[in-house]
Amino acid sequence: MSTSLPVLRVAVCGAGAFGRNHLRVYRELSQRDPEAAGFHVELAAIVEADLGRHDALAAEWKIPVFPSVDALLDARTRGQVQVEAASVCVPTSAHFAAAAPLLAAGIDLLIEKPIAAKLDEARELEMLAKQHGRILTVGHLERFNPAVTAVQPLLSRPMFFEAHRLSIFTPRALDVDVVLDLMIHDLDIVLCFAASPVRHLHAVGLPILSRKVDIANVRIEFESGCVANFTASRVSTERVRKLRFFQPHQYVSIDYARQDVLSIDVDPAAVPAIAAAGLGAMPGIPAGLNLQKPPVTQGEPLRLEIESFLNSVATRKPPVVLAEQATAALALALDINAAIAEHAQRAGLDRF
């Protein structure tokens, strides 16, 4: 190991489905040539509350496993382990309890989305990060999807969004509803793309296979006049991850799962001729319509996200996903949940 480059020692808090992916990526990054990044990565510790898994985790990853954040920090104080940064991958309801002491101890954090379960917890985490001069970012993974990156140069004035995020039911993440589990990804993207305050929202949702809302539909109007429709379901028969939007003289479609982008540009001068003839009467692509597939450099969003986080830790530059943006997405998600609850009561659905 080159002694001329700094070493970033990382812990992963929570070794469930999300945590294991973070562990994998950190281990992969620890094995790459550090010269290009400018720093070494060392996977230093795991925090896992399930004591029955400790021996297996320690044997698999060959690093210390601690039962709690407090135990990790105690070992760090005693000089038994060194940690500069951490991923928080515990259930959402435990985000604040895990993240707050880590920030207070001077550890930079990547917290899986959403930033917290409650708005006051999110704001306190923001305050702690600023108070202790820490990097705090949140795992809004789709920001790092190569298809989203490819769309950025196309944005002009989006006026209508249609988002669909459907999943087959699994017993994962049932401590939160489908809005905080799935829809929040699209809420974050649309908030960034629309760049306008929310004026009004209408939402409906139902629990199907869990005690929380499993399927939801939301319509949001922004101050700019832009409108967005969101559908999220974790009880679907298929997996869909798509976002479409319209802006003057252009339609753009993003397939998150395929990392694919399609754009259709319309020449305003050709609109009368196309309308008069009808699309069905024109073989091929009518003159005045320009279909393009912007180039997309394929990549794993989680690895891109973690690389970006570590780069912020090393350089002290602001992260791509700011804590304030994650809090804004959480606030909107909680407003949506309140609207769903109000609709359920008004419609008498709370009896079912």
Side-chain angles (χ1 to χ4, degrees), residues 39-315:
F39 54 84
H40 295 276
V41 177
E42 180 183 316
L43 183 57
I46 297 171
V47 175
E48 173 53 51
D50 185 351
L51 300 181
R53 299 180 60 204
H54 280 206
D55 289 345
L57 287 168
E60 180 179 3
W61 299 99
K62 296 178 173 56
I63 55 176
V65 183
F66 298 93
S68 67
V69 167
D70 287 344
L72 168 67
L73 294 178
D74 182 61
R76 182 172 177 259
T77 300
R78 295 170 180 269
Q80 297 169 347
V81 65
Q82 290 181 278
V83 174
E84 290 84 33
S87 282
V88 174
C89 307
V90 297
T92 299
S93 55
H95 279 188
F96 179 79
L102 291 168
L103 289 171
I107 294 174
D108 297 309
L109 291 188
L110 164 59
I111 303 177
E112 267 295 348
K113 61 79 194 166
I115 182 171
K118 300 176 181 178
L119 200 54
D120 59 344
E121 293 178 342
R123 289 172 176 156
E124 187 167 347
L125 291 177
E126 283 185 53
M127 181 196 69
L128 282 169
K130 291 176 182 176
Q131 180 181 343
H132 295 279
R134 295 300 91 200
I135 297 294
L136 173 58
T137 190
V138 178
H140 285 285
L141 199 63
E142 299 295 18
R143 293 274 203 104
F144 299 89
N145 191 306
V148 172
T149 303
V151 159
Q152 304 277 352
L154 303 180
L155 286 171
S156 57
R157 193 186 175 191
M159 293 304 296
F160 180 74
F161 290 93
E162 188 80 35
H164 287 86
R165 188 168 294 263
L166 314 178
S167 288
I168 298 169
F169 184 81
T170 68
R172 176 198 60 79
L174 295 185
D175 63 321
V176 294
D177 55 82
V178 74
V179 177
L180 288 172
D181 182 18
L182 297 181
M183 188 183 289
I184 196 165
H185 283 296
D186 301 301
L187 297 177
D188 174 66
I189 293 294
V190 172
L191 282 173
C192 290
F193 283 7
S196 176
V198 172
R199 180 182 180 186
H200 177 73
L201 71 85
H202 179 75
V204 295
L206 284 171
I208 304 295
L209 295 178
S210 77
R211 294 185 177 183
K212 296 183 181 290
V213 170
D214 293 315
I215 185 167
N217 180 262
V218 180
R219 181 177 178 84
I220 294 175
E221 181 181 350
F222 295 90
E223 292 290 351
S224 65
C226 174
V227 171
N229 288 334
F230 302 85
T231 299
S233 170
R234 56 187 183 189
V235 289
S236 178
T237 57
E238 58 182 337
R239 189 175 186 272
V240 177
R241 302 281 190 275
K242 291 185 178 181
L243 175 68
R244 304 173 181 90
F245 66 90
F246 298 83
Q247 53 194 9
H249 312 302
Q250 189 177 52
Y251 161 79
V252 180
S253 174
I254 302 172
D255 189 317
Y256 295 112
R258 293 174 55 190
Q259 297 186 7
D260 182 65
V261 178
L262 171 68
S263 72
I264 302 176
D265 297 295
V266 181
D267 179 0
V271 170
I274 295 173
L279 287 175
M282 297 183 175
I285 300 173
L289 293 184
N290 181 22
L291 275 68
Q292 295 185 8
K293 290 183 70 67
V296 177
T297 302
Q298 300 284 307
E300 182 188 5
L302 179 61
R303 177 165 176 148
L304 295 170
E305 175 185 79
I306 289 177
E307 286 178 330
S308 178
F309 166 58
L310 293 175
N311 185 62
S312 289
V313 172
T315 64

